[in-house]
Amino acid sequence: MTVTSVMNTSSRAGLVLSVAGLLLLGATGAGQAAPTVPEHAVIVCDSASFYANYDSSSGPAGLKRVLPRGDKVGHTRGAHPVHNGWAATFDFGPNDWGYVRQECLGGFGSW
């Protein structure tokens, strides 16, 4: 075996390892987008039930609390899910996620 063929074999092996490393990084989420920060909004209904989950077969589940009119919440239209009118919403008071009726969200960007 000549020095040239050893170098070519080493170069090829290095290239294969480099490509494998890049593919592994992509598969582990290194290229995934960051989570979307909730857009500022407020509750515009007199009161809005705030549920822990939404089940597609039975609807909202696990009432956490009732949010009053003017409560500061977050929901990014087009980025956070809405299921049958129930919008994934972030309550900035205790800093937790839940579901609230989409029509109770308004005043986007008002604070």
Side-chain angles (χ1 to χ4, degrees), residues 4-18:
T4 307
S5 65
V6 170
M7 292 174 83
N8 286 340
T9 302
S10 295
S11 296
R12 277 185 255 139
L15 178 63
V16 168
L17 289 174
S18 295

Side-chain angles (χ1 to χ4, degrees), residues 51-76:
Y51 289 92
N53 285 316
Y54 183 85
D55 183 323
S56 60
S57 64
S58 60
L63 179 65
K64 289 183 165 192
R65 61 188 161 277
V66 176
L67 305 179
R69 178 183 290 275
D71 192 37
K72 294 180 178 179
V73 297
H75 172 80
T76 302

Side-chain angles (χ1 to χ4, degrees), residues 29-47:
Q32 292 179 351
T36 302
V37 176
E39 183 181 356
H40 288 178
V42 294
I43 297 295
V44 295
C45 295
D46 288 335
S47 64

